[in-house]
Amino acid sequence: MMTETANTLPLHAVIAEQEKICQERPNNIIAHHTLGLLYRQAGRADEAIRELERAIELDGHSVESYINLGAIYFDRGDVARALELNEKALSITPQMAEAHVNIGLIRQQQGDAAAAVECYEKALQIDPQLLTAWLNLTSACTMLEQDDKAEEAARQAVTLEPDSGMAHNNLAVALYFKGKFKEAKQHLDRAKELGYSVDPRFVQGLQAKLGQ
């Protein structure tokens, strides 16, 4: 009879196993970091924060812990703390593309799309294959009415991940603002097929342009 592996166990059981590991190895950075990620996955944010902070306490250069802790604070709406944590990660590892993307997203949420574009472009200089950077660059350029740049970024995202509903949706939006309504409809339909929840207002606006 085969025994269950960690990959087939329910999340609460995996968490219980990881808690035991942390109890047995209280100074193990990876153990606390992993438990923090599991807590976050389970929606237990306070406990996730505690474990990630413990990982950082054990190793002040635990860049991934700073990044993941920042993500929790961002989700909570504490963008100032999220920014601080991502900037700390960059001070340790300046070439961390993910941190540049995260800071860009914060800047974009703060309404500074130009600063966001700079962050996404820095990320792409480090990792040209980073899908989130292309996706976010598309939306930031759209905000700035940089339509050519938005279309280029959106096409790059679709090329990187043809089965990303968000990438096809972003490209549809970019094409809409370029007046390429038929092609926009094609990508919007593909986004729907892939299960992406499209904005009904955008659907209506595009249909109006197509005379439907």
Side-chain angles (χ1 to χ4, degrees), residues 43-86:
R44 297 162 63 174
D46 289 338
E47 291 162 295
I49 289 172
R50 182 192 69 207
E51 293 303 320
L52 291 170
E53 286 181 340
R54 175 59 178 156
I56 291 170
E57 180 184 342
L58 290 167
D59 180 6
H61 290 77
S62 181
V63 176
E64 291 295 335
S65 295
Y66 283 110
I67 291 291
N68 285 286
L69 189 56
I72 295 172
Y73 279 106
F74 182 83
D75 290 343
R76 286 186 157 189
D78 189 346
V79 294
R81 180 64 173 146
L83 179 62
E84 177 186 348
L85 289 162
N86 279 280

Side-chain angles (χ1 to χ4, degrees), residues 27-148:
N27 294 323
N28 187 297
I29 300 160
I30 295 175
H32 287 286
H33 177 83
T34 301
L35 182 55
L37 298 184
L38 290 170
Y39 280 143
R40 185 185 178 206
Q41 186 179 347
R44 297 162 63 174
D46 289 338
E47 291 162 295
I49 289 172
R50 182 192 69 207
E51 293 303 320
L52 291 170
E53 286 181 340
R54 175 59 178 156
I56 291 170
E57 180 184 342
L58 290 167
D59 180 6
H61 290 77
S62 181
V63 176
E64 291 295 335
S65 295
Y66 283 110
I67 291 291
N68 285 286
L69 189 56
I72 295 172
Y73 279 106
F74 182 83
D75 290 343
R76 286 186 157 189
D78 189 346
V79 294
R81 180 64 173 146
L83 179 62
E84 177 186 348
L85 289 162
N86 279 280
E87 287 179 336
K88 178 63 177 178
L90 279 183
S91 72
I92 299 167
T93 308
Q95 293 298 101
M96 175 159 273
E98 185 180 353
H100 285 291
V101 170
N102 292 344
I103 292 173
L105 188 58
I106 291 168
R107 296 304 187 199
Q108 193 169 341
Q109 189 180 82
Q110 292 173 332
D112 192 346
V117 167
E118 290 182 11
C119 292
Y120 301 143
E121 289 179 336
K122 285 179 184 177
L124 290 167
Q125 288 172 6
I126 298 166
D127 183 3
Q129 306 299 309
L130 188 57
L131 179 63
T132 54
W134 288 114
L135 291 171
N136 292 342
L137 180 59
T138 302
S139 61
C141 288
T142 297
M143 289 173 65
L144 293 169
E145 298 182 355
Q146 297 177 355
D147 298 332
D148 289 341

Side-chain angles (χ1 to χ4, degrees), residues 130-176:
L130 188 57
L131 179 63
T132 54
W134 288 114
L135 291 171
N136 292 342
L137 180 59
T138 302
S139 61
C141 288
T142 297
M143 289 173 65
L144 293 169
E145 298 182 355
Q146 297 177 355
D147 298 332
D148 289 341
K149 199 170 179 179
E151 180 185 355
E152 179 185 352
R155 290 193 186 279
Q156 288 285 353
V158 169
T159 298
L160 281 173
E161 187 53 72
D163 292 330
S164 168
M166 181 180 290
H168 284 280
N169 179 78
N170 285 8
L171 180 52
V173 172
L175 291 167
Y176 175 91

